[in-house]
Amino acid sequence: MSKENVLRVSDVTMQFGGVVAVNNFSMEVNKGDIIGLIGPNGAGKTTAFNCITGVYAPTNGRIEFMGKTIVENHPSGKMKNLYKGENAGKYTKAIAPTPDKITKMGIARTFQNIRLFSSLSVFENVLIAKHLHAKQNIFTATFRLNHKEEKRMREESMALLKEQGLDKYKDDVAGSLPYGLQRRLEIARALATDPKLLLLDEPAAGMNPQESDELMEFIRQIRDEYDLSIFLIEHHMQLVMGVCEHIYVLDYGIKIAEGNPEEIQNNPKVIEAYLGVDE
Amino acid sequence: MTKHRKWLLSCIAIAAFLAVVFLLEQTIPKSSNWSMLFTVLEKGSIYALVAVSMNLVNGFTGLFSLGQAGFMLIGAYTYAIFTIPPEQRASVYQYFDGGIITFMLPAIPSILLAGIVAAFFAFLIGLPVLRLKSDYLAIASLGFAEILRAIFQWDKLGPITNGSNLLRKFTTYHTSLYPIIAAGICIAIMLLVINSSYGRAFKAIREDEIAAEAMGINLFKHKEMSFVISSFFAGIGGALLAMFQTTIQASVFRAALTYEFLLIVVIGGMGSVTGSIIASYLFIACREWWLRFLDSEQYIGDFKVPLLRAGFRNVVFSVVIMIIVLFFSQGIMGTKEFSWQGLGGLIRKIPTIPARLRRKFKKEAQVNE
């Protein structure tokens, strides 16, 4: 069974000065997958995320999205001598788009510590995410020559809020929502950019068991409804084991294991990384 | 209230305001004390325009830029240079053989040109400067404004800018309605920008740059856009200020002028157009008119009021500003805007305002304890 490949990360290394945060990390996401990335604190999970979303340009490696290379880099300048990772010289191009361009290509994300536009309304939060695909320019937008498009953006945002059950809060200030709803709004906002791949950074952080059960259902549901592939970082083992079909484990920036939830649970290396071993 | 009714109300209010100004202008003699009213209306409108333009960058896009005086300078000079009548040029440019420009343009195209030239310079300055953040952006934009002022005073450019000498005898306006209407149109356009999809993107950048970028908003492009639009209107503000003053000199456009606008924006409320407009009129009215009496000796009966002398006005003014910043740190309007419902609510609340204020101060005192 071969599914269409959505994201392929090859040999990505991220080195800050002398510190290798992510070392030679490779992974794949196929269409419709829900993939998890776990690891102890400081393992480099969020750094890996940031490489994919363009916040950092990786020091070495390549990232392909829908079969197209979107990020590629190789150690250059000062990094040439400092570089401690592997596969130096395998990649030659330097492509490093900014996060907004990556979002435009179809990769949306949420943040570990919620980053809503907190003094704007719930509706505006979603509406802003519709800005990137609009065909207007500053002149037509100012003089309201784009009212058809504006209307469409508003309708789509409203529809999305309704689907996410947030429509009754649409005029509330986003920062005043309860925590769980803020998380949900952040996901709704990411969905508003029409992504093909959704990256969730610790979506269950701060949730109680019941809420995270609901979240599990919710993640499956948006995957099916919006035809998405999902890649998530999570500490909450119950959620990861319950929802992910394939899991990668990072420790000290190195991939120590991958496989389905059962394999991961029984992998001695993973147990060692999480619990330590008796010596 | 329906949308149409709000529109109608707004139109009636604007028309009534303009009619009142027109009537007052016809009836109040130039020599009376009340002619100060027109100074306040004219200068207040011009200040409102520049304050709103500054608010667009500082309050709505969340960039800390202090280049406003520089862009006003460009606008004022561009306007003045192109509207001095050819026959007057010999006397204006007396040290530079009448200058090198031998034609003049009508007023309105010159005002637009003033905006365009200011916007162009903003575009160039924005390329390096807008990659900086917060304080660094403030310092760099302030620096550029000062450099511009120095360049305009440069002797070698004398045939165009008249060096450090006055520019005068350019076209001015003859009715207070002119700057009011011009500033009104410009502010209306800025309001349209703020309420458009781009305005929302600006606000997103103000709220959280990282999230805005993750939502596909190109940070640099949108910051540059906001900066250029703001400077365009600052340039127009500069041109109108030149018309108001009838003469201009580069030394007027010091950093201190930018701080005046910063003050207005803060007093009015960062992120509120209405606030900036109200604060502009209040600021000008206090400085030019209402607090003037503090600068001369006053007698109540035979009693000579102590402390009053030239310059005391500035002391009182500073104290007033400190009170505002300390107790009303959100400014007059916060991030709210004028609305007819809001006004209606306010009118109904007026009788209870003293009680509400007392409660507010009581609460604050408790918190401080």
Side-chain angles (χ1 to χ4, degrees):
Chain A
M1 186 181 80
S2 79
K3 285 195 278 186
E4 190 191 350
N5 181 267
V6 175
L7 181 77
R8 179 175 284 123
V9 176
S10 327
D11 311 323
V12 163
T13 301
M14 183 73 227
Q15 184 173 343
F16 299 101
V19 180
V20 184
V22 175
N23 195 355
N24 215 31
F25 179 61
S26 300
M27 61 161 290
E28 273 182 35
V29 178
N30 292 324
K31 195 162 180 348
D33 281 356
I34 299 180
I35 306 287
L37 176 63
I38 61 171
N41 284 326
K45 305 181 296 289
T46 300
T47 308
F49 246 49
N50 283 342
C51 288
I52 297 169
T53 52
V55 178
Y56 302 136
T59 320
N60 189 44
R62 176 191 291 159
I63 297 166
E64 288 157 279
F65 179 61
M66 310 295 283
K68 229 176 69 191
T69 302
I70 56 167
V71 177
E72 184 169 331
N73 206 0
H74 56 93
S76 58
K78 250 199 282 181
M79 208 29 99
K80 224 172 200 168
N81 299 324
L82 273 175
Y83 187 63
K84 294 194 234 164
E86 293 156 55
N87 289 313
K90 189 169 169 189
Y91 302 97
T92 49
K93 278 185 268 180
I95 313 168
T98 45
D100 59 285
K101 298 213 173 64
I102 291 198
T103 309
K104 217 166 193 169
M105 292 171 199
I107 302 181
R109 73 170 296 179
T110 64
F111 295 89
Q112 189 174 348
N113 41 345
I114 302 176
R115 284 180 176 276
L116 289 171
F117 306 124
S118 48
S119 70
L120 303 181
S121 75
V122 169
F123 181 61
E124 277 179 307
N125 264 276
V126 176
L127 195 52
I128 282 164
K130 289 278 171 204
H131 181 69
L132 85 161
H133 290 304
K135 286 181 188 64
Q136 64 202 352
N137 60 43
I138 183 78
F139 190 80
T140 57
T142 301
F143 296 103
R144 302 294 185 265
L145 303 172
N146 66 336
H147 54 268
K148 260 191 207 139
E149 191 171 42
E150 175 83 18
K151 199 175 154 211
R152 182 182 56 78
M153 283 160 67
R154 280 173 187 275
E155 281 167 2
E156 283 177 10
S157 305
M158 204 55 235
L160 191 70
L161 281 180
K162 219 169 245 162
E163 284 162 21
Q164 302 302 328
L166 290 163
D167 50 330
K168 55 179 172 289
Y169 306 104
K170 80 179 176 65
D171 294 320
D172 290 5
V173 176
S176 72
L177 289 184
Y179 189 81
L181 288 178
Q182 288 198 15
R183 282 259 172 234
R184 188 165 271 217
L185 175 59
E186 210 190 13
I187 294 174
R189 189 181 65 174
L191 289 174
T193 62
D194 295 329
K196 297 186 186 74
L197 174 65
L198 182 62
L199 306 185
L200 303 173
D201 197 344
E202 298 203 17
M207 286 189 176
N208 62 33
Q210 195 211 331
E211 282 173 325
S212 54
D213 279 351
E214 283 170 19
L215 183 71
M216 218 179 327
E217 202 41 56
F218 177 67
I219 289 173
R220 283 205 197 94
Q221 191 191 327
I222 55 173
R223 189 251 324 250
D224 298 336
E225 269 174 35
Y226 298 92
D227 202 15
L228 290 171
S229 313
I230 292 172
F231 178 38
L232 59 92
I233 294 179
E234 192 46 75
H235 270 306
H236 201 289
M237 283 307 139
Q238 205 187 336
L239 181 110
V240 178
M241 298 304 166
V243 76
C244 296
E245 290 134 7
H246 197 84
I247 297 168
Y248 293 85
V249 188
L250 272 184
D251 191 26
Y252 295 108
I254 300 164
K255 182 167 77 186
I256 56 168
E258 68 171 286
N260 61 38
E262 215 164 299
E263 287 165 3
I264 295 296
Q265 273 168 328
N266 299 321
N267 188 316
K269 272 184 170 171
V270 177
I271 296 167
E272 186 188 325
Y274 268 93
L275 301 174
V277 279
D278 277 336
E279 280 175 27
Chain B
M1 222 180 294
T2 61
K3 212 171 173 185
H4 284 281
R5 221 177 122 201
K6 277 185 217 161
W7 263 104
L8 196 67
L9 264 174
S10 305
C11 289
I12 292 171
I14 291 166
F17 173 68
L18 293 178
V20 168
V21 172
F22 180 75
L23 281 176
L24 287 176
E25 203 175 26
Q26 301 302 315
T27 48
I28 293 175
K30 278 268 179 279
S31 54
S32 95
N33 255 344
W34 283 90
S35 69
M36 220 39 193
L37 177 68
F38 299 110
T39 309
V40 171
L41 282 175
E42 288 169 26
K43 207 171 175 187
S45 306
I46 296 163
Y47 266 55
L49 166 59
V50 181
V52 173
S53 81
M54 191 165 185
N55 209 340
L56 181 66
V57 169
N58 291 35
F60 286 95
T61 320
L63 305 169
F64 191 20
S65 156
L66 294 176
Q68 234 55 11
F71 299 117
M72 286 178 77
L73 170 92
I74 295 174
Y77 264 79
T78 307
Y79 174 78
I81 288 165
F82 285 109
T83 53
I84 298 172
E87 62 273 15
Q88 302 284 4
R89 284 186 185 264
S91 72
V92 174
Y93 289 92
Q94 50 183 326
Y95 304 111
F96 298 99
D97 303 327
I100 53 168
I101 294 166
T102 52
F103 59 92
M104 73 179 282
L105 296 173
I108 290 175
S110 300
I111 292 177
L112 287 175
L113 190 66
I116 291 165
V117 174
F120 176 70
F121 272 84
F123 175 76
L124 293 183
I125 291 170
L127 290 178
V129 165
L130 289 177
R131 298 186 191 274
L132 303 172
K133 287 203 169 111
S134 65
D135 308 354
Y136 302 101
L137 170 61
I139 294 164
S141 54
L142 193 63
F144 267 109
E146 291 292 292
I147 291 167
L148 281 174
R149 184 166 62 84
I151 289 174
F152 273 79
Q153 287 175 312
W154 187 26
D155 244 17
K156 290 269 159 41
L157 283 177
I160 303 169
T161 64
N162 210 11
S164 53
N165 307 304
L166 278 176
L167 278 176
R168 56 203 160 86
K169 294 186 175 165
F170 45 80
T171 317
T172 58
Y173 54 77
H174 302 288
T175 160
S176 295
L177 291 174
Y178 194 102
I180 294 173
I181 293 172
I185 293 171
C186 292
I187 291 172
I189 294 173
M190 275 188 277
L191 264 177
L192 286 174
V193 173
I194 288 165
N195 290 325
S196 76
S197 182
Y198 285 87
R200 286 195 297 270
F202 295 163
K203 286 185 217 163
I205 293 174
R206 171 189 74 190
E207 293 290 312
D208 192 327
E209 280 196 10
I210 293 171
E213 203 172 23
M215 289 301 111
I217 293 167
N218 186 327
L219 290 184
F220 180 72
K221 192 179 130 198
H222 284 82
K223 284 181 184 175
E224 179 91 351
M225 216 179 256
S226 155
F227 193 58
V228 166
I229 293 170
S230 159
S231 305
F232 175 80
F233 289 110
I236 289 182
L240 290 173
L241 191 66
M243 292 172 112
F244 170 76
Q245 291 181 335
T246 68
T247 63
I248 57 158
Q249 206 173 6
S251 58
V252 174
F253 299 91
R254 273 169 309 193
L257 186 69
T258 304
Y259 298 144
E260 287 180 10
F261 292 112
L262 186 64
L263 198 67
I264 290 172
V265 170
V266 171
I267 291 176
M270 299 277 259
S272 168
V273 172
T274 322
S276 291
I277 296 170
I278 295 173
S280 299
Y281 285 112
L282 280 180
F283 179 85
I284 296 294
C286 289
R287 207 182 55 173
E288 310 270 334
W289 191 13
W290 295 342
L291 297 182
R292 278 270 167 190
F293 73 93
L294 295 170
D295 268 2
S296 52
E297 294 182 348
Q298 303 278 338
Y299 290 89
I300 301 172
D302 281 343
F303 174 69
K304 181 175 175 238
V305 183
L307 289 174
L308 297 190
R309 66 200 63 173
F312 188 66
R313 178 172 54 122
N314 290 329
V315 177
V316 173
F317 200 57
S318 313
V319 172
V320 169
I321 287 161
M322 262 195 272
I323 290 172
I324 290 174
V325 173
L326 280 175
F327 293 104
F328 302 95
S329 54
Q330 286 287 300
I332 299 171
M333 296 292 284
T335 54
K336 291 196 260 314
E337 296 290 357
F338 170 82
S339 69
W340 287 108
Q341 283 113 317
L343 187 70
L346 190 68
I347 290 169
R348 256 168 270 134
K349 260 191 247 157
I350 280 175
T352 64
I353 279 179
R356 282 154 51 86
L357 271 183
R358 234 176 293 136
R359 227 175 300 145
K360 180 184 153 94
F361 282 115
K362 217 188 227 167
K363 211 185 271 168
E364 260 168 30
Q366 277 166 357
V367 169
N368 290 339
E369 275 164 22

